[in-house]
Amino acid sequence: MKKALLTGCTGQDGSYLTEFLLAGGYEVHGIKRRSSSLNTDRIDHIYRDVHECRTPFFLHYGDLTDASSLATMLHDIRPDEVYNLGAQSHVKVSFDIPEYTADVVATGTLRLLEAVRRTGLKCRFYQASSSEMFGSAAPPQRESTPFHPRSPYGCAKLFGHSITVNYRESYGAHASSGILFNHESPRRGETFVTRKITRALARIKCGIQSKLYLGNLEARRDWGYAPDYVRAMWLMLQQDTPDDYVVGTGEAHTVREFVELAFERAGLDWKEHVVIDPAYFRPAEVDFLLADCTKARRELGWEPTVTFRELVRIMVDADLDQVERQIAGGLDELRRAAAGVSTRA
Ligand code: NAP
Ligand code: F7E
């Protein structure tokens, strides 16, 4: 049985990749960082199966800022494949905490690569690179497009990307970088724009929120569906030769188009609810990202399976469903409390 080790297993991509690898017969080891509140929502359903169905999934405390924890895990687990997905991944936040972002995203990648090298493991390595490295480069962006990052996050990812290429060239590491364009899902973090929109409109529809505050509606992104993108990560590590691949849909839309389509799906008029708030504009914006993923299609046989319209529908429906269930759950709780029976001990 192959073993995989993931940083960022509690994140959007980490949760889908864990499911994907377990379904493919892997033993999966995930690194989670210590948090004062629970941070395993996205993988709790998998962890439940560990006890009921003996799923080979193991969680370990560790952190990309802590080299010794990474070295210990590599030494003890001896994985066949390492996927480095852990990151402070919010672009706007990276302007507020640039040093921390660089520590986790840039130096963290170096720490992990160096731990692999020093352990002498012959494992394959996946680096979660980002289209944010292209920044202001003219679209469409492909592997040969010069990088011009526009945020501390983009700069840190560019270091992570470059050091991965460097370990490949210097030490012969089987290290590949996926330069992934935006990918979303119902598990997307609540402060990224797509999920912020779908979550807010579900709350508006259910009468518990009235306004949605947004920044730049004119930015264009190439948005895909996250489960498709974790398949691309795995495909990269199955190649004989490590390489870098751009992964995206080849179609770009503005934030405004996402808003329009999402509100239309929920039967709401977005103009009545969306308010532009300068607080959500960035010191430097990335205006237009559009992937040319000819290489990934040709060499990996990878194709996206979900269109932009379908993605919006999936996310809107999931958030409407979640808010309705929360309201129903809250009412049940109130009824139980009124009857003198509480589920909260
Ligand atoms: P995400 O949902 O923000 O997940 C990030 C993960 O990193 C979480 O598990 C988080 O843990 C973990 N993490 C944060 N700080 C850490 C630290 N110091 N040490 C170890 N782990 C840490 O991100 P995602 O959307 O799944 O993206 C996965 C990776 O792909 C990230 O590297 C991201 O930068 C990159 N990427 C994402 C996209 C995209 O559109 N989604 C596109 C290109 C590249 P907590 O759960 O405890 O916060
Ligand atoms: O912003 C605009 C914002 O935060 C998209 C990360 O996964 O993808 C992601 O980075 C656009 C930007 O994603 C709001 O200005 C308007 O132009 O959803 P986002 P991102 O910055 O593209 C890349 C590929 C990654 O690697 C990153 O890890 O939407 N926008 N109004 C807004 N954005 C946010 N967050 N909130 C707003 O209110």
Side-chain angles (χ1 to χ4, degrees):
M1 184 184 272
K2 271 193 180 174
K3 284 189 211 171
L5 176 65
L6 276 66
T7 68
C9 77
T10 56
Q12 171 189 254
D13 291 5
S15 67
Y16 285 120
L17 183 61
T18 298
E19 288 172 351
F20 178 86
L21 293 171
L22 287 170
Y26 279 70
E27 177 177 307
V28 179
H29 294 260
I31 298 180
K32 72 166 179 173
R33 59 182 180 149
R34 149 76 188 150
S35 158
S36 65
S37 51
L38 298 176
N39 60 352
T40 54
D41 278 16
R42 295 182 179 104
I43 50 172
D44 281 343
H45 62 289
I46 309 172
Y47 214 65
R48 271 194 295 277
D49 293 346
V50 168
H51 301 292
E52 286 162 22
C53 322
R54 299 191 186 286
T55 305
F57 177 50
F58 305 91
L59 279 177
H60 311 266
Y61 280 109
D63 202 297
L64 281 161
T65 60
D66 178 17
S68 63
S69 68
L70 304 175
T72 304
M73 257 174 279
L74 285 162
H75 178 270
D76 292 352
I77 297 162
R78 309 196 78 74
D80 301 286
E81 295 175 7
V82 173
Y83 294 86
N84 183 31
L85 309 183
Q88 186 306 90
S89 73
H90 202 283
V91 173
K92 173 79 163 52
V93 172
S94 79
F95 287 98
D96 301 325
I97 46 171
E99 214 177 303
Y100 174 74
T101 302
D103 193 17
V104 178
V105 175
T107 316
T109 303
L110 172 60
R111 286 187 190 102
L112 191 57
L113 281 164
E114 188 57 9
V116 169
R117 186 176 81 84
R118 287 189 177 275
T119 320
L121 284 174
K122 290 285 166 258
C123 61
R124 298 186 172 194
F125 186 93
Y126 174 82
Q127 170 59 12
S129 289
S130 165
S131 54
E132 278 294 303
M133 301 186 311
F134 292 124
S136 58
Q141 294 94 3
R142 54 183 71 86
E143 292 79 5
S144 57
T145 302
F147 297 117
H148 188 144
R150 298 266 288 165
S151 64
Y153 169 80
C155 295
K157 277 288 176 190
L158 183 50
F159 176 84
H161 177 75
S162 307
I163 199 70
T164 301
V165 174
N166 180 255
Y167 270 55
R168 184 164 78 213
E169 293 175 355
S170 306
Y171 306 116
H174 192 296
S176 293
S177 256
I179 307 175
L180 271 47
F181 283 59
N182 299 53
H183 45 279
E184 320 291 313
S185 74
R187 295 187 199 166
R188 185 57 143 153
E190 291 88 347
T191 60
F192 296 96
V193 78
T194 56
R195 186 76 202 290
K196 183 172 168 181
I197 294 164
T198 59
R199 186 169 174 271
L201 71 76
R203 291 164 64 85
I204 291 168
K205 182 84 180 171
C206 295
I208 46 178
Q209 184 173 332
S210 63
K211 297 293 177 201
L212 164 59
Y213 296 90
L214 291 175
N216 178 16
L217 299 188
E218 307 315 323
R220 280 185 271 191
R221 290 291 183 273
D222 181 327
W223 278 297
Y225 184 48
D228 281 344
Y229 288 56
V230 303
R231 187 162 34 84
M233 297 174 188
W234 176 80
L235 280 169
M236 285 177 217
L237 295 205
Q238 309 319 305
Q239 307 306 303
D240 291 338
T241 313
D243 209 340
D244 306 322
Y245 298 90
V246 157
V247 178
T249 68
E251 204 181 298
H253 297 272
T254 58
V255 174
R256 182 186 298 274
E257 284 172 73
F258 193 104
V259 169
E260 284 169 357
L261 214 52
F263 274 75
E264 184 188 304
R265 173 78 189 169
L268 294 167
D269 180 357
W270 71 275
K271 292 196 179 108
E272 288 177 12
H273 303 283
V274 172
V275 178
I276 300 303
D277 182 343
Y280 294 107
F281 282 76
R282 293 156 187 204
E285 178 62 284
V286 170
D287 294 317
F288 194 169
L289 291 175
L290 172 66
D292 173 356
C293 59
T294 309
K295 181 176 170 184
R297 285 176 194 262
R298 188 183 60 233
E299 294 183 15
L300 304 177
W302 180 84
E303 293 286 342
T305 66
V306 172
T307 64
F308 176 67
R309 186 172 278 274
E310 285 165 351
L311 174 67
V312 174
R313 180 183 52 74
I314 289 168
M315 291 182 71
V316 169
D317 292 0
D319 269 322
L320 281 169
D321 185 54
Q322 190 183 86
V323 172
E324 279 161 12
R325 274 188 289 113
Q326 279 166 351
I327 291 171
L331 286 176
D332 281 352
E333 180 72 23
L334 283 175
R335 284 194 198 101
R336 272 194 295 272
V341 190
S342 176
T343 52
R344 290 194 190 133

